[in-house]
Amino acid sequence: MNSFSDSYKEAGVDVTAGYKSVELMKKHVARTKIDGVVSGIGGFGGLFVPDFKNMEEPVLVSGTDGVGTKLKLAFLLDKHDTIGIDAVAMCVNDVVCCGAKPLFFLDYIAIGKNVPEKVAEIVSGIAEGCVQSGCALIGGETAEHPGLMPVDEYDVAGFSVGIADKPKMIDGSKLKDGDVLIGLRSSGVHSNGFSLVRKIFDISEQTINNTYPELDKPLGETLLTPTKIYVKPILALMKEVEVKAVSHITGGGFYENIPRMLSDGLTARINMSAVPVLPIFKLMQRVGNIPEHDMFNTFNMGVGMIAAVAEEDADKALEVLKANGEDAVILGEVIKGNDGVVIE
């Protein structure tokens, strides 16, 4: 390629580094190719042909998000191959809540200095997230921002587009008193609440590798565990039982996210003893002296996704989820009322 600019490089932007990044990431992007992908990366737009067969009324469903200040841990540990999973997870886990199958993902990486190997490492995680959710990585953008952020830092975000058949979409309208709430376990803190996490542990180069009896790995490694992706288990569950509502437990924890799945006049009653609280959350509550309400209002507490089914379908739902790799638990039930969430 005959494209280069010494003047632009002197200003802090190396266009040739961008070209090298694209070459290094191609093998990762190739892993995500699925039916419907038309174009490879490098064009002005990502092309995808959706399959509308066997759909009465196709609806496109989109979701966008970033990783937040969890990135600070990746910087401190100099580990960049999992943060992309978080970026994908935060989008596709939202999209599947209404019963949509993610089709494709596009990322945006803003970086202080384009180090092609680092960018490719980030994209390897994005590709892994796409593979886990069954969608294609069809494009993205890497923007070098000298002067806007330190040369060794970056931000990563993206969006996903999925498809659902409108008559089969999950919207909570069929929820009723007595329905059962099933929790799918989380892999850790996921990608929410890290401003509080960093405050609790005073995260720095000196504390990032601290060890605690409660944890089987050093603190930083535990916290950097990527967000679990629930797309395939939820889609599999939909094929076997009627899923009435789904909630992705992200920022705002139980108290903010569960009400988003409820119809008017209904409340979610959660059995506190049924919540599979992970050791990292117990540690955070102890070290930070955080009130229990604040913990459940900030973190997933060990439950990354909640699905509501009829009482008679609960056992079948647990079987289906187990067959798809999920050790799910019954958390509580739907009751009449307008209290949003009651944890007792």
Side-chain angles (χ1 to χ4, degrees):
M1 181 177 290
N2 194 30
S3 175
F4 63 89
S5 172
D6 290 336
S7 298
Y8 207 5
K9 186 174 182 179
E10 290 175 4
V13 177
D14 186 355
V15 295
T16 58
Y19 305 145
K20 184 177 180 182
S21 296
V22 172
E23 287 303 314
L24 291 176
M25 69 178 68
K26 281 183 176 179
K27 64 180 180 181
H28 303 300
V29 175
R31 296 180 55 219
T32 74
K33 188 173 182 179
I34 61 174
D35 290 343
V37 175
V38 176
S39 62
I41 60 171
F44 287 101
L47 308 181
F48 192 93
V49 179
D51 182 3
F52 295 142
K53 294 196 301 289
N54 302 317
M55 286 195 173
E56 294 180 38
E57 194 174 349
V59 177
L60 294 179
V61 181
S62 59
T64 184
D65 210 337
V67 180
T69 62
K70 185 174 184 176
L71 287 165
K72 287 286 190 181
L73 281 78
F75 303 157
L76 287 169
L77 292 173
D78 194 24
K79 180 174 171 55
H80 313 285
D81 61 343
T82 61
I83 207 74
I85 300 175
D86 292 289
V88 176
M90 297 305 293
C91 299
V92 298
N93 283 344
D94 280 355
V95 166
V96 80
C97 283
C98 64
K101 180 187 185 303
L103 297 176
F104 56 82
F105 185 85
L106 282 86
D107 65 79
Y108 178 81
I109 301 170
I111 193 164
K113 179 177 175 57
N114 189 336
V115 179
E117 291 77 12
K118 179 185 284 189
V119 172
E121 195 175 353
I122 298 167
V123 173
S124 73
I126 295 171
E128 175 59 27
C130 289
V131 169
Q132 290 183 22
S133 57
C135 71
L137 178 57
I138 63 171
E141 169 70 7
T142 302
E144 198 167 16
H145 287 169
L148 186 62
M149 58 179 63
V151 295
D152 58 345
E153 293 190 3
Y154 59 86
D155 192 15
V156 59
F159 74 91
S160 177
V161 173
I163 192 169
D165 195 0
K166 190 173 182 179
K168 299 177 182 178
M169 289 181 69
I170 301 171
D171 61 6
S173 62
K174 297 180 180 180
L175 274 176
K176 65 178 184 178
D177 181 24
D179 286 341
V180 172
L181 300 172
I182 296 177
L184 284 68
R185 297 173 189 261
S186 69
S187 57
V189 184
H190 285 182
S191 298
N192 305 105
F194 272 87
S195 294
L196 180 54
V197 171
R198 291 185 299 111
K199 180 178 183 291
I200 290 171
F201 294 111
D202 190 22
I203 295 293
S204 66
E205 291 183 359
Q206 288 70 43
T207 62
I208 191 70
N209 289 311
N210 283 355
T211 58
Y212 295 88
E214 295 94 331
L215 307 180
D216 57 5
K217 295 182 291 188
L219 178 62
E221 191 176 346
T222 299
L223 294 173
L224 201 59
T225 301
T227 305
K228 195 170 187 179
I229 292 177
Y230 299 97
V231 170
K232 292 179 180 179
I234 291 294
L235 293 178
L237 182 63
M238 287 178 59
K239 292 180 180 179
E240 299 292 333
V241 302
E242 181 182 33
V243 180
K244 297 188 176 186
V246 178
S247 177
H248 181 200
I249 309 303
T250 57
F254 280 47
Y255 287 106
E256 183 174 319
N257 291 290
I258 296 178
R260 297 166 68 181
M261 71 187 282
L262 300 172
S263 306
D264 290 340
L266 294 176
T267 293
R269 182 164 61 194
I270 304 294
N271 180 358
M272 175 77 76
S273 63
V275 179
V277 180
L278 290 171
I280 183 62
F281 296 115
K282 295 178 181 179
L283 177 64
M284 284 195 292
Q285 186 172 5
R286 176 175 64 81
V287 173
N289 192 28
I290 307 298
E292 191 167 68
H293 180 278
D294 290 1
M295 291 294 295
F296 277 88
N297 210 154
T298 308
F299 303 110
N300 67 63
M301 300 302 288
V303 178
M305 189 80 82
I306 295 176
V309 300
E311 184 178 11
E312 60 268 24
D313 290 334
D315 288 341
K316 176 67 173 179
L318 291 174
E319 290 177 10
V320 173
L321 290 169
K322 185 175 182 179
N324 285 272
E326 295 294 330
D327 182 18
V329 297
I330 293 179
L331 291 176
E333 61 183 341
V334 176
I335 60 174
K336 293 180 180 178
N338 291 297
D339 297 318
V341 180
V342 175
I343 303 176
E344 55 188 26

